[in-house]
Amino acid sequence: MLARSEGAEVIVAGRNKAALEQAYDDPGITADVVDVSDDESIAELARRVGSLDHVVSTVSARARGTLAALERASLAQSLDTKVLGPLMLAKALAPRMNLGGSLVLFSGVNAFKVNVGYLGVAITNGAVDYLTRSLAVELAPLRVNAVSPGVIDTGAWDALGEEGKQEFFAHTGSTNPAGRIGTVDDVAHAVLFAMTNSFMTGMTLKVDGGEPLV
Ligand SMILES: NC(=O)c1ccc[n+]([C@@H]2O[C@H](COP(=O)([O-])OP(=O)(O)OC[C@H]3O[C@@H](n4cnc5c(N)ncnc54)[C@H](OP(=O)(O)O)[C@@H]3O)[C@@H](O)[C@H]2O)c1
């Protein structure tokens, strides 16, 4: 919505087009379909969108759990969704991107703060960081950056249950230097900055309340 308020024509794409249409009721926002684990689905999206300026990928399929609990299938899905998916998106969409355009990928705080129970999340987000820098060199002069959020209440923590979630948010907000958890707006402003700062590429912007510092 922030890009839209800056005058951008926006296409939001995901696996559930109807849900996206419901979430974004704005004539300047078009909903489309893509499954980033399916190369044909990515190719079809690329054909439909034609040319474009910026691509932002927020996909995720996180593999939380301790080493003893982790299964190969959930790790593979996490890496396939959040690392290989954006890589194949970049492959399909970069040739259609206008000069001055950029890609923004999503990493996450667990790439920079080691926590037991987040091993799968850490290696996935760490790989996004390397993907960002590699694409920034290979796709230049297109710019490629990433945003690494800290804890944000997007629904991503709903599996903890309402009480568990509030406890987790209170703990994170009372122990990080920022003194609160983040908001969707905090992250959206970082994405807009990455899209519009024409001298920044290969960078991961940490919007995490300073959590890895303590
Ligand atoms: N929220 C946080 O606290 C936090 C912290 C650190 C990092 N992050 C990162 O920030 C980004 C956005 O976070 P979020 O909280 O909005 O994540 P989220 O609620 O888990 O959303 C992830 C999105 O990825 C989509 N997706 C999953 N697999 C897909 C596929 N194969 N093809 C297309 N779309 C697919 C899901 O759509 P469906 O509806 O189709 O499932 C969902 O909309 C993610 O990369 C996340 O890892 C978030």
Side-chain angles (χ1 to χ4, degrees):
M1 291 305 282
L2 192 58
R4 179 73 194 116
S5 68
E6 293 292 316
E9 289 287 317
V10 177
I11 298 169
V12 288
R15 290 180 294 185
N16 187 340
K17 185 177 173 183
L20 291 172
E21 280 170 341
Q22 207 176 355
Y24 297 97
D25 182 19
D26 181 314
I29 302 180
T30 312
D32 210 319
V33 181
V34 71
D35 179 343
V36 301
S37 65
D38 176 349
D39 290 343
E40 188 47 41
S41 170
I42 293 175
E44 284 170 13
L45 176 72
R47 282 193 287 274
R48 286 193 298 276
V49 298
S51 72
L52 70 170
D53 295 310
H54 299 278
V55 175
V56 180
S57 170
T58 63
V59 288
S60 176
R62 57 195 89 72
R64 290 181 191 149
T66 59
L67 178 60
L70 284 172
E71 300 288 347
R72 182 181 290 266
S74 68
L75 289 166
Q77 190 184 0
S78 178
L79 290 163
D80 188 47
T81 303
K82 198 166 175 175
V83 182
L84 301 186
L87 186 156
M88 298 311 286
L89 266 185
K91 179 180 172 180
L93 295 177
R96 298 172 178 273
M97 291 173 65
N98 301 319
L99 209 60
S102 79
L103 287 98
V104 183
L105 310 183
F106 266 71
S107 178
V109 65
N110 286 111
F112 307 103
K113 180 180 187 183
V114 174
N115 263 333
V116 173
Y118 292 88
L119 169 57
V121 183
I123 60 170
T124 302
N125 287 321
V128 173
D129 197 43
Y130 277 87
L131 174 63
T132 301
R133 286 186 277 153
S134 300
L135 289 177
V137 173
E138 184 157 352
L139 295 180
L142 289 176
R143 294 177 303 103
V144 185
N145 292 292
V147 172
S148 173
V151 175
I152 318 282
D153 187 8
T154 56
W157 300 99
D158 288 358
L160 297 177
E162 192 52 35
E163 201 178 326
K165 198 170 76 161
Q166 294 312 328
E167 270 174 28
F168 175 63
F169 289 167
H171 174 74
T172 305
S174 63
T175 51
N176 71 14
R180 63 172 176 86
I181 65 161
T183 65
V184 170
D185 214 37
D186 293 327
V187 176
H189 276 95
V191 172
L192 196 65
F193 179 72
M195 287 163 75
T196 54
N197 189 311
S198 61
F199 200 47
M200 188 175 76
T201 192
M203 185 55 66
T204 296
L205 293 174
K206 297 172 184 171
V207 186
D208 58 15
E211 199 184 323
L213 302 175
V214 291

